[in-house]
Amino acid sequence: MKTQTRAVVIGGGIAGCSTLYHLTQEGWTDVVLVERDELTSGTTWHSAAQVTNFGMNQTMVGLKTHSINLYQELRDDPDYPVQYNHGDGGIRLANTEAQMDGYRHFASMARGMGVEFEILDAAECARRHPLISTENLLGGLWDGNDGDIDPASLCQALARRARKAGAEVYRQTNVTGLTQLKDDSWIVHTCKGDIACEVVINACGYRVNEVGAMMGVHHPVTSMEHQYFVTDEIPGIAAAGHRMPLLRCPISDYYCRQEKNGLLLGFYEQDCKTWGMDGISPDFSNDLCPDDLDRVTDVLEGAFERMPALMEVGIKNVVNGLITYTIDGAPLVGPIPGKRNAFCIIGLRAGLGEGGGHGWLLAQQIVHGEACYDTWVIDPRRFTGHANVELTALKAIEDYQNEFRFHFPHEHRPAGRPIKTTPLTPIMAAEGAEFTVVNGWERAEYFKPTPDFDVTHGFHFDEAFDVVAGEVGAVQNAVGLAEVNGFNRIEITGPETHKFLDHMVCGRATAKPGRVGLGYLLNDHGCIKAEATVANLPDGSVWYGSAAASEWHDMDWLAQHSDGFDVSLRSLTNDWTILVLAGPKARDVMRAVSRDDWSKAAFPWLSVRHAFIGVAPAVVMSVSFSGELAYEIHVPNNQLYAAYLALKGAGADHGLRLFGARAVEAMRMEKGFLHWKADLITEFDPFETGLDRFVKLDKDFVGKEALLARQKSGLTRKLVSLHLSETNAPAHGGASLMRDGTVVGTVTSGDWGHRVGMNLAYAFVRPELAAVSTVHEIDILGKLVSATVIDPAPYDPQMTLPRG
């Protein structure tokens, strides 16, 4: 066995084999995979192994397309062909118009990735799958690339190709420990000896946290028992003359696919069960859980109603195996938070279908630093310190119970809530707040006009439209108050603080005390990595502020690049909360609660100072995400309620109204302000994103050389603002821009601008089609809607209001 290699992959299922193979494809051939037992002996071997192209965002569609293309190539390998039933087709059923709208949106989104889905009515669903009834059925989504694959031969084929490229695979080699050295390299201790390596990759399936514990981390992954059975032959299948399409049914929580001349039928029962939370026996390998068909009786009854032929057929065998889940159902693929040269590819609940793509994207991140797609939707750092065992289990159960029911816009499911709150959470609830969740934080989304107010979840504008309009109107005409909790806040101190920030930010990072600036950080490819508000406090410290979701992501990036600089980084994220006071009367409220001079001359736009709000100490910044005169009031959590009471009381004389996150979202669209990981992604550079004014090429910064190279090559896309003719629904992220029947761009954000009376969207389009007044069409829920390119910031484009 080798004692030195470049990377060690731990785990020999689809995740590990795909990563090993793709590392060799990206140029790293001196790599090793270690497996405690035999390849595929964990969750892979018993997988139902469905391979769909369906995904709820473009990254997932892209990686699934890669899987399908790779699996076709492996199927056609004359030396080692893999059994792959590709192109049987698959139908996702629906019995509500809201579900059908979702399918129409996903079809629009997938088209931008070169994937064509088809919307079917109930009769066409039955024509393509003659075993189903159309009772209580509206229609479905057709994926022509759907199919299934043999798990064992797939993994063996990937391992075989990796070996041919120079990789080595060690079976029956248990990892007993991990040690990280001072140079951030690793020693992988095994039962057969130690292997020194630059990079270690956790691909351990349901044993993920056994290996995680060896490096002092916990991963939010838990296992669920999952049962399927295989039927005897069904006459209708043999008589059909073609393979049956795959079926996924959110109405009755089951799926099925053809297995010989019978069906493999799997269940997502409501009475589901977690597994292994108190530890896993070392002897559990290539094993299953005891059958428990009583648990799936309710689901089985629904399957009988949808497919009456099932009532006339016997069961050959039953499988009760394991599926790993994360908090949101999507896997964790990428850097392990807080660790260097450590990666994971875990929580792959649809591992066989997606594993080829996940390993592809992870290998790119390991070798090149980024993947070809923005991978935030699968990034392990999207969950932070709240992601404990109990929360993971509750969310896994909830996601399992809703396996085929996608999240609607503004739908926030209840399991595990609340997990992160502030002293104001119960106060906001008493005021009628409907809450959204941001990195675990309960944040007011809007304030209900009556206690029984509710909305209908769907893809159209909902009943909260007028409520949000009222909140926006208060901010525009008087004054509004909002709590923005969880905002990422990193204190940077040390003699080289400004030198460090100048190195990290691609523009001018202001060093003037008492001033605030906005900056963008690039990755090594010259594309957008992070957006930050940099505040130079009068005491000499600097606050780096960014989106709540970026807490661990940005800390990792800053820490990784702080070597060689005399600086210290300290997170204040969980100790402070922002109260936003916005509107033309905001200054009057500030004068009523603070002895400081809040005049324009004494505290101009982009200023920061220490102050007292009533009796509560605060750091106040004159910045605005709403486009109105506004103050960000940062308050320690233990005195947040006192500051809130002071502002609320003083604001009563000025028509103060509470507002929530949906009003903020609507207002930022009118101002041309961008959202991290919606409009600001790693696939595009600052010039493509319209941030030219924030780039200074006369200085050095991370990513400059790559940015210059991209500049020479020219723009590939350009971010534009759009005015839509549609009035009933917004453009949702991922929707395709069309021109003469061809996709020319993709929507990143969309919302109604209440102050300008426009349905607005941002989209990346081909640069030659980015000129103002260019007319496109957007596919919104299956309908082509006119969308005209407009100047950014249709509301107060000269930024006169925030300056006061």
Side-chain angles (χ1 to χ4, degrees), residues 512-530:
K512 187 177 180 180
R515 298 297 291 167
V516 180
L518 182 64
Y520 292 89
L521 289 72
L522 308 185
N523 60 26
D524 294 327
H525 300 269
C527 293
I528 300 290
K529 186 73 172 179

Side-chain angles (χ1 to χ4, degrees), residues 409-472:
H410 307 302
E411 178 191 8
H412 313 293
R413 292 175 180 168
R417 296 175 60 190
I419 184 70
K420 292 165 80 170
T421 61
T422 75
L424 292 187
T425 304
I427 307 301
M428 294 297 179
E431 293 281 2
E434 180 71 24
F435 290 97
T436 182
V437 180
V438 183
N439 191 20
W441 292 95
E442 297 287 333
R443 185 180 293 178
E445 189 174 45
Y446 60 87
F447 290 84
K448 297 181 284 189
T450 60
D452 60 349
F453 181 83
D454 202 1
V455 300
T456 304
H457 292 305
F459 286 81
H460 292 79
F461 292 119
D462 61 28
E463 294 87 344
F465 185 90
D466 290 336
V467 176
V468 174
E471 293 178 6
V472 171

Side-chain angles (χ1 to χ4, degrees), residues 676-697:
W676 187 70
K677 292 308 177 188
D679 320 301
L680 300 167
I681 59 177
T682 58
E683 296 173 31
F684 302 106
D685 63 41
F687 300 126
E688 293 168 320
T689 313
L691 300 172
D692 309 45
R693 66 192 185 281
F694 292 100
V695 179
K696 303 301 178 186
L697 294 175

Side-chain angles (χ1 to χ4, degrees), residues 1 115 146 183 216 238 359 374 378 403 414 536 552 615 618 650 661 691 705:
M1 191 172 72
V115 173
D146 219 336
D183 65 355
D374 189 293
I378 55 175
E403 176 68 27
N536 297 289
W552 281 4
V615 297
L691 300 172
E705 185 176 341

Side-chain angles (χ1 to χ4, degrees), residues 568-609:
S568 296
L569 307 175
R570 182 168 71 108
S571 176
L572 304 177
T573 299
N574 297 299
D575 301 324
W576 294 67
T577 292
I578 298 173
L579 294 174
V580 172
L581 189 72
K585 297 183 180 180
R587 182 175 285 122
D588 296 328
V589 177
M590 291 297 288
R591 285 170 175 157
V593 298
S594 173
R595 292 183 293 111
D596 290 278
D597 184 353
W598 298 100
S599 67
K600 181 177 179 179
F603 195 69
W605 187 46
L606 300 181
S607 296
V608 57
R609 65 162 56 142

Side-chain angles (χ1 to χ4, degrees), residues 127-141:
R127 190 188 72 78
R128 298 192 188 191
H129 199 305
L131 296 182
I132 70 170
S133 161
T134 58
E135 184 72 22
N136 187 31
L137 183 66
L138 280 182
L141 180 75

Side-chain angles (χ1 to χ4, degrees), residues 14-230:
I14 180 59
C17 292
S18 177
T19 302
L20 187 75
Y21 165 72
H22 284 99
L23 282 171
T24 66
Q25 295 300 293
E26 297 297 329
W28 282 23
T29 55
D30 180 15
V31 289
V32 162
L33 183 149
V34 293
E35 161 57 44
R36 73 189 296 273
D37 298 303
E38 297 292 337
L39 298 186
T40 76
S41 59
T43 59
T44 299
W45 71 274
H46 58 71
S47 169
Q50 300 166 100
V51 184
T52 175
N53 221 158
F54 176 80
M56 288 181 285
N57 54 68
Q58 289 192 321
T59 297
M60 295 303 291
V61 172
L63 68 86
K64 290 182 178 187
T65 298
H66 176 83
S67 294
I68 289 170
N69 292 337
L70 172 63
Y71 298 170
Q72 286 181 285
E73 180 185 333
L74 295 173
R75 177 199 62 190
D76 297 335
D77 185 339
D79 296 325
Y80 195 92
V82 172
Q83 176 60 40
Y84 176 30
N85 297 310
H86 170 258
D88 291 347
I91 309 173
R92 292 173 186 271
L93 302 179
N95 66 339
T96 70
E97 277 297 338
Q99 287 172 313
M100 292 298 293
D101 278 343
Y103 292 158
R104 293 180 186 107
H105 168 65
F106 299 137
S108 174
M109 177 268 298
R111 191 174 301 120
M113 300 300 289
V115 173
E116 291 293 335
F117 293 146
E118 191 178 346
I119 305 300
L120 310 181
D121 61 20
E124 183 62 18
C125 289
R127 190 188 72 78
R128 298 192 188 191
H129 199 305
L131 296 182
I132 70 170
S133 161
T134 58
E135 184 72 22
N136 187 31
L137 183 66
L138 280 182
L141 180 75
W142 174 262
D143 171 10
N145 281 315
D146 219 336
D148 66 273
I149 197 165
D150 174 57
S153 63
L154 169 61
C155 291
Q156 292 290 352
L158 291 169
R160 174 178 175 272
R161 286 193 170 196
R163 287 190 189 100
K164 288 181 68 175
E168 296 192 16
V169 176
Y170 305 135
R171 299 171 296 114
Q172 300 296 328
T173 306
N174 192 29
V175 173
T176 58
L178 294 168
T179 301
Q180 190 162 31
L181 305 181
K182 290 183 178 179
D183 65 355
D184 294 325
S185 66
W186 292 87
I187 303 293
V188 180
H189 308 284
T190 80
C191 61
K192 296 180 180 178
D194 294 348
I195 309 174
C197 60
E198 298 174 29
V199 171
V200 64
I201 299 111
N202 185 344
C204 290
Y206 55 72
R207 295 190 183 274
V208 53
N209 277 308
E210 293 179 9
V211 172
M214 296 176 189
M215 60 175 69
V217 300
H218 167 76
H219 298 287
V221 175
T222 197
S223 297
M224 301 294 298
E225 291 188 17
H226 175 65
Q227 297 184 89
Y228 67 77
F229 62 63
V230 178

